[in-house]
Amino acid sequence: MTSYIWTAPTRIFHWLLAVGFTVAFILGDFDNLSNLHFAFGAFVGVLIFFRILFGLFGPIYSTFKDFPIGLKSQREFIHSFFSKGKIFAGHNPAASVIMLGIFFVGIICSVSGYFLYANENNVLNIGINEDSLEELHEITANLFLILVAIHLLGILAETLFHKKTGTLKSIFTGYKNIESKNAKLNGFHKIFLVLWLIIPFYVSYLAYGLPVNPKEQENKIENNENYDYDDD
Ligand code: HEM
Ligand code: HEM
């Protein structure tokens, strides 16, 4: 018996987010590719913004009210993880906390990145100094990475201990090997998916075109070269 848990918008979001975050994170260290970094970083931020909206009015299992984050659920989950106890059809309680963490940290990382860019290039100053913005951006980017690592360990544990549930394949096919209500998209969800597919790419394109002060760019590249040189 199988049940449809993750509808297309959730699965497409998942894989776009995984690729977007990985590329944005790696590009963060390449000063000469800063516009490409802005493009992938903005893409991640807008993708997550749409996922948060989907969490408010999406289909069953994808809405936040189906994220069992309460203490009682966490206790139940820990006690039943190694036995054939309660089955959570959508995200289990620990996964729900990690997912919400990814959404929260991801949005702050992306927005702080924009303000950092705007401050460095004298486009906009929101009254937070550049060092604090840089620190916030770096800390949230690293926190995001830590949450992804925990997420992957969680999937590994789930695959080892609850192999029959088919959680891993569910993010590709949408189906888990459990008996539960099937998720279903309505007309509004389908229109929403189209916007979700268009707007992040469009904002990413706009971010790619953000003007960078050539002096600022030169300074950064020079500073990094000096740093590498000092290291040798
Ligand atoms: C969730 C999406 C994002 C991730 C994961 C991310 C990650 C990173 C990382 C890892 C760094 C290198 C930090 C360091 O070691 O110094 C960095 C730097 C930077 N990011 Fe992002 N970023 C994101 C979004 C953005 C966005 C949307 C913008 C601007 C539109 C942006 C602007 C910058 C700038 C200006 C720096 C350079 C800081 C400096 O060296 O002065 N980032 N980012
Ligand atoms: C940077 C990489 C990744 C990020 C940022 C990420 C993030 C997420 C997020 C936010 C969700 C929740 C989806 C939603 O409710 O909208 C999720 C679910 C999921 N992810 Fe990932 N993921 C990443 C990589 C991977 C990889 C490489 C795999 C598989 C090998 C994977 C397997 C899964 C599975 C199976 C679920 C569903 C879990 C469940 O049923 O509770 N993820 N991921």
Side-chain angles (χ1 to χ4, degrees):
M1 110 229 86
T2 56
S3 304
Y4 193 48
I5 307 296
W6 305 122
T7 56
T10 305
R11 286 178 283 137
I12 294 172
F13 157 74
H14 178 266
W15 291 112
L16 289 178
L17 177 72
V19 173
F21 167 74
T22 307
V23 179
F25 191 91
I26 294 170
L27 288 177
D29 278 330
F30 290 85
D31 290 329
N32 50 341
L33 296 175
S34 61
N35 277 77
L36 212 48
H37 172 68
F38 303 161
F40 277 91
F43 182 68
V44 166
V46 182
L47 265 185
I48 296 180
F49 174 74
F50 272 84
R51 177 61 183 92
I52 291 172
L53 294 182
F54 205 59
L56 302 177
F57 48 68
I60 181 170
Y61 309 121
S62 287
T63 48
F64 296 137
K65 67 175 168 22
D66 292 322
F67 282 38
I69 52 170
L71 270 185
K72 193 167 161 262
S73 306
Q74 302 292 347
R75 237 178 274 136
E76 226 174 354
F77 169 65
I78 293 166
H79 287 140
S80 65
F81 191 78
F82 298 104
S83 63
K84 285 194 178 125
K86 193 170 162 60
I87 289 181
F88 296 89
H91 294 311
N92 67 43
S96 300
V97 172
I98 300 298
M99 300 321 168
L100 292 178
I102 287 180
F103 301 155
F104 182 69
V105 164
I107 286 281
I108 299 183
C109 182
S110 190
V111 172
S112 64
Y114 175 73
F115 286 132
L116 176 60
Y117 151 79
N119 198 317
E120 280 181 353
N121 294 279
N122 302 319
V123 175
L124 173 80
N125 189 330
I126 54 162
I128 304 179
N129 75 47
E130 202 172 303
D131 287 348
S132 308
L133 281 172
E134 198 170 332
E135 213 159 300
L136 179 63
H137 191 57
E138 211 177 314
I139 289 173
T140 47
N142 289 324
L143 259 180
F144 198 142
L145 184 66
I146 292 170
L147 289 169
V148 170
I150 298 173
H151 166 51
L152 295 180
L153 288 176
I155 297 294
L156 181 66
E158 176 72 17
T159 306
L160 290 176
F161 294 104
H162 301 157
K163 199 167 175 227
K164 281 192 184 145
T165 311
T167 299
L168 181 57
K169 77 159 187 195
S170 74
I171 203 67
F172 296 93
T173 64
Y175 289 92
K176 288 190 186 179
N177 309 331
I178 53 171
E179 195 164 357
S180 195
K181 197 175 160 186
N182 285 317
K184 198 171 182 311
L185 295 179
N186 61 28
F188 177 72
H189 295 142
K190 289 175 190 163
I191 296 171
F192 185 79
L193 172 62
V194 175
L195 295 178
W196 200 349
L197 285 175
I198 295 174
I199 297 177
F201 281 100
Y202 181 61
V203 175
S204 172
Y205 165 75
L206 294 182
Y208 185 70
L210 283 174
V212 176
N213 185 344
K215 264 203 186 133
E216 174 69 30
Q217 185 90 344
E218 260 169 41
N219 280 348
K220 265 201 212 168
I221 294 173
E222 218 167 84
N223 285 345
N224 268 0
E225 274 167 5
N226 288 343
Y227 178 77
D228 288 341
Y229 181 76
D230 289 348
D231 247 16
D232 288 343

